[in-house]
Amino acid sequence: DLTSALLKAVKETTPGNHFPADIWLLACVATANHHKSKVKSIIRSKANNGGFTSQLLRQSLSGNGTALTSLFSTSLCEMADGLLRSSDNAACELGVTLYEILFEDFKDSMQRSDVVSSLVTHICSGVGVKEAEVDAAMRVFSCIIDKGDDGPRALRSFNPLLLGMLEFLHQMTTSQVRRLFLLLFAAGGDTNDEMAS
């Protein structure tokens, strides 16, 4: 009853009147398998009507990685995955922001590996993959790289995963190939690193 009331309240809240707690509560609700689809639907709908924005996501989640650790694999990663796969542009952009936040705030190597693996899957999932989804996943990598020296350094340990994307060049557009090579060059390492060559 409490969950139903919460979902109804969030659904009926007008754009501009959402609080960071709404994101946290939806992430908590999404840990239960029977509520995941309802939460995904609400988040997509709220993204499209301007109720959930990148700014609200950052206010809600940035700097709270420790407090949200239990929600990382139970709901937040799935939320990011569903948003990035969305054909709705606003929902997809929210997915880009969520993936970026997850990589920034969850610094454990296993958690970051989950984020990078998921992004690589979006890019290399094979026949039928949407160009917009690949572009969005590439944008997440670009956002990480743009964090100064910290971004490329953080991605460097995932070079084997990143290099695996070279196997899928044939299904990428010219601009996606260009982005991939810029990513690989940026994350390549220093001159003493074997991976750099």
Side-chain angles (χ1 to χ4, degrees), residues 84-104:
L84 205 72
R85 289 183 194 283
S86 176
S87 54
D88 303 317
N89 191 46
C92 187
E93 286 307 309
L94 212 57
V96 169
T97 301
L98 184 51
Y99 268 122
E100 188 184 346
I101 293 168
L102 292 177
F103 191 85
E104 285 172 16

Side-chain angles (χ1 to χ4, degrees), residues 30-146:
T31 61
N33 285 331
H34 56 284
H35 291 304
K36 284 185 192 297
S37 61
K38 294 174 200 168
V39 170
K40 283 181 185 176
S41 174
I42 289 171
I43 291 174
R44 273 196 307 271
S45 170
K46 288 293 178 176
N48 290 327
N49 74 11
F52 287 174
T53 62
S54 292
Q55 182 182 359
L56 179 66
L57 269 186
R58 289 193 184 286
Q59 287 174 343
S60 307
L61 305 174
S62 291
N64 292 308
T66 304
L68 295 168
T69 297
S70 64
L71 298 176
F72 177 82
S73 58
T74 56
S75 63
L76 291 173
C77 285
E78 281 188 50
M79 285 168 58
D81 180 70
L83 286 166
L84 205 72
R85 289 183 194 283
S86 176
S87 54
D88 303 317
N89 191 46
C92 187
E93 286 307 309
L94 212 57
V96 169
T97 301
L98 184 51
Y99 268 122
E100 188 184 346
I101 293 168
L102 292 177
F103 191 85
E104 285 172 16
D105 277 68
F106 295 90
K107 296 181 180 359
D108 178 80
S109 61
M110 290 301 292
Q111 291 169 321
R112 282 189 164 173
S113 177
D114 287 348
V115 171
V116 171
S117 296
S118 185
L119 290 169
V120 168
T121 301
H122 283 290
I123 294 166
C124 305
S125 56
V127 180
V129 68
K130 296 179 285 201
E131 187 177 324
E133 181 183 338
V134 174
D135 287 338
M138 289 285 200
R139 269 198 316 282
V140 178
F141 281 129
S142 296
C143 291
I144 294 168
I145 289 293
D146 289 343

Side-chain angles (χ1 to χ4, degrees), residues 145-185:
I145 289 293
D146 289 343
K147 300 289 179 203
D149 289 341
D150 291 342
R153 193 177 303 116
L155 280 174
R156 199 159 292 143
S157 59
F158 305 107
N159 267 339
L161 279 171
L162 300 177
L163 288 168
M165 290 189 284
L166 292 171
E167 300 289 325
F168 296 86
L169 289 177
H170 63 281
Q171 66 188 37
M172 294 182 190
T173 65
T174 305
S175 65
Q176 290 166 351
V177 170
R178 217 176 260 129
R179 258 194 182 170
L180 174 59
F181 278 97
L182 289 171
L183 165 66
L184 293 174
F185 292 147

